Amino acid sequence: MKFAHWLPNVSGGLVVSKTPQRTDWSLDYNVALAKIAEQAGFEYALTQVRFMGSYGAEYQHESMMFSAALLANTDRIKIITGVLPGICHPGVVAKQGATADQIFNGRWAVNVASAWFRDEYDAFGVPWLEHDERYVRSREFIEILRGVWGEDDFSYDGKYWRINGYSLKPKPLTMPGRPTPEIFQGGNSLAAQRMAAAVSDFYFMNGNTPAGHQEQIDNVRRLAAAEGRRVRFGANAFVIARESEDEAWDELRRIVGSADAEAVGKFKHAVKQAGQSTREKKGMWVDSTDADLVQYNDGFKTGLIGTPEQIAEKIHNLKKIGVDLLLCAFLHFHEETRYFGDRVIPLVRDLEAADPVREAGVA
């Protein structure tokens, strides 16, 4: 199992709650966090992409610039930069990413987020597409990234993008097992799953039950196999690891009991643009309760709440169903990232050694 953590590069922390959070959106705080995460055994950190305030996140640092600053101040951790197709141009992102990849020794990756927050697009005068069309645009975005990174005089004539004989030099580094920077995407809907199977390296899933994660993994694997591809899987989880199970669940009750009801309500309205708007009524936040939405990627649902031993067992079980990477959020990032590295990751490694999980390949 690989471990990643959310970067709090927007204000408000990772829960929409008035409960105290010893978390800050400044660069200094995040540099210190990334260094703690490196020492703790985390391989990745993910920047949030946000261009204007929403559901309590009033202030935001731009993700690409923030990622570069973090890469300049770390040694090993990989930074996954969130980008928004439509607001971001794939040719520009390809150039920025190649530069970051060259400068920082292959430690840059990208998360192509297909968007749910319409206000950002309306503010910039960028057309807001219907749900499934946003994934068509994102797929084209990734096809252009791969094309520009892989060949000279690249041209592309798509529904949403056109590239005319573009040669990018230098290209990203070519590394063993990684021909281009890794490409992540989120989703949960059937449109997202089809896109992941066709073009992405990693498919991020919102928090869910093991059965909910298994359903998505099985479907994406089946679709990817038809393309001759393998996709890896990440799952979002809000981690509350405490010395006793009661202490952990009491913390969750405090977080939810102190929810910012107004911000949660606004978020609930905004995410109607996501899974609820699909024909199948499948996707992100379709079945989320108000309590689930206090952690805005359903992180409570994954259930990593309890003692280090209980959490390690649940993580190993996620690996058994096909989850390759755990994307962690915490209430107090510095302290809890360190605690997770000291108390949870070693237990996971022990379980992996005692009960190895066979990696799934291309069917």
Side-chain angles (χ1 to χ4, degrees), residues 263-332:
V264 170
K266 289 180 179 178
F267 180 44
K268 185 177 183 178
H269 176 75
V271 298
K272 290 180 180 178
Q273 303 288 342
Q276 296 173 58
S277 67
T278 65
R279 185 186 312 108
E280 306 89 2
K281 302 299 179 187
K282 281 183 172 286
M284 296 171 76
W285 304 294
V286 168
D287 301 317
S288 302
T289 65
D290 285 3
D292 294 328
L293 294 175
V294 175
Q295 207 290 308
Y296 50 81
N297 281 89
D298 281 344
F300 302 146
K301 284 184 175 183
T302 306
L304 299 192
I305 299 159
T307 66
E309 292 77 12
Q310 290 170 328
I311 289 171
E313 186 72 35
K314 290 177 181 178
I315 290 170
H316 190 53
N317 287 335
L318 287 170
K319 181 63 179 173
K320 287 180 177 179
I321 67 169
V323 175
D324 301 284
L325 180 150
L326 194 70
L327 177 59
C328 301
F330 301 98
L331 187 65
H332 310 301

Side-chain angles (χ1 to χ4, degrees), residues 58 96 139 204 247 259 268 306 327 344:
E58 184 176 2
Q96 292 171 322
R139 175 172 174 167
F204 272 140
E247 186 184 356
K268 185 177 183 178
L327 177 59
V344 179

Side-chain angles (χ1 to χ4, degrees), residues 6 14 22-23 29 33 329-337:
W6 285 95
L14 270 290
R22 293 189 295 277
T23 296
Y29 181 93
L33 171 60
F330 301 98
L331 187 65
H332 310 301
F333 264 89
H334 281 189
E335 302 96 308
E336 296 192 40
T337 300

Side-chain angles (χ1 to χ4, degrees), residues 233-281:
F233 299 91
N236 184 62
F238 192 87
V239 181
I240 306 178
R242 300 292 186 268
E243 288 302 310
S244 74
E245 185 177 7
D246 287 346
E247 186 184 356
W249 286 100
D250 285 347
E251 186 77 271
L252 177 61
R253 283 188 283 270
R254 278 192 293 272
I255 293 168
V256 174
S258 301
D260 184 335
E262 181 181 0
V264 170
K266 289 180 179 178
F267 180 44
K268 185 177 183 178
H269 176 75
V271 298
K272 290 180 180 178
Q273 303 288 342
Q276 296 173 58
S277 67
T278 65
R279 185 186 312 108
E280 306 89 2
K281 302 299 179 187

Side-chain angles (χ1 to χ4, degrees), residues 118 128-136 160 273 277:
R118 180 172 181 164
W128 179 253
L129 306 179
E130 292 303 312
H131 179 275
D132 286 12
E133 283 298 304
R134 298 201 294 275
Y135 284 94
V136 172
Y160 295 104
Q273 303 288 342
S277 67

Side-chain angles (χ1 to χ4, degrees), residues 45-191:
L46 172 65
T47 58
Q48 301 172 68
V49 55
R50 195 74 74 248
F51 287 93
M52 58 188 290
S54 61
Y55 57 90
E58 184 176 2
Y59 299 101
Q60 323 85 36
H61 286 304
E62 192 276 323
S63 57
M64 188 69 75
M65 291 286 287
F66 205 74
S67 296
L70 289 168
L71 286 163
N73 284 280
T74 52
D75 299 314
R76 299 186 305 278
I77 200 164
K78 299 176 183 178
I79 305 297
I80 309 167
T81 298
V83 299
L84 285 175
I87 291 176
C88 304
H89 189 286
V92 175
V93 170
K95 183 65 173 178
Q96 292 171 322
T99 298
D101 202 62
Q102 286 276 341
I103 293 173
F104 300 114
N105 237 0
R107 292 191 294 124
W108 181 82
V110 63
N111 180 46
V112 178
S114 295
W116 56 266
F117 189 33
R118 180 172 181 164
D119 289 1
E120 292 175 313
Y121 283 74
D122 289 346
F124 288 150
V126 176
W128 179 253
L129 306 179
E130 292 303 312
H131 179 275
D132 286 12
E133 283 298 304
R134 298 201 294 275
Y135 284 94
V136 172
R137 179 171 61 188
S138 291
R139 175 172 174 167
E140 291 189 359
F141 191 101
I142 292 174
E143 289 172 344
I144 290 169
L145 291 181
R146 293 198 185 281
V148 168
W149 287 338
E151 59 187 89
D152 290 335
D153 298 316
F154 178 73
S155 295
Y156 187 92
D157 188 11
K159 187 173 183 179
Y160 295 104
W161 310 98
R162 181 169 296 167
I163 302 291
N164 298 309
Y166 177 48
S167 294
L168 184 153
K169 295 181 181 179
K171 291 177 169 50
L173 299 174
T174 299
M175 304 176 72
R178 197 218 73 164
T180 71
E182 291 169 302
I183 298 174
F184 294 72
Q185 70 156 96
N188 283 24
S189 67
L190 296 181

